[in-house]
Amino acid sequence: MSQGKIWAIAAAIILVDLAVFMVPIVPIVAAYILIARPPWFKTFIDDVYKSS
């Protein structure tokens, strides 16, 4: 995953958090990932930490 894509994802996370400030999005998403263990999340993490 390119550095620019990582920065874009980080900026999107911040913008979404600012847009829905009163709703605790991060804990909801974290709980979903812990409970459902979606296969796309492992792929995403592997892609983030893959050496360039």
Side-chain angles (χ1 to χ4, degrees):
M1 182 177 289
S2 70
Q3 196 69 12
K5 191 171 184 181
I6 292 172
W7 278 100
I9 291 170
I13 290 170
I14 292 170
L15 289 174
V16 168
D17 187 51
L18 289 173
V20 280
F21 183 75
M22 298 306 286
V23 178
I25 293 175
V26 173
I28 292 170
V29 172
Y32 164 73
I33 289 171
L34 286 172
I35 294 169
R37 295 185 182 233
W40 59 264
F41 187 71
K42 181 178 181 342
T43 305
F44 172 73
I45 294 299
D46 289 343
D47 202 24
V48 167
Y49 287 105
K50 187 185 337 179
S51 60
S52 298

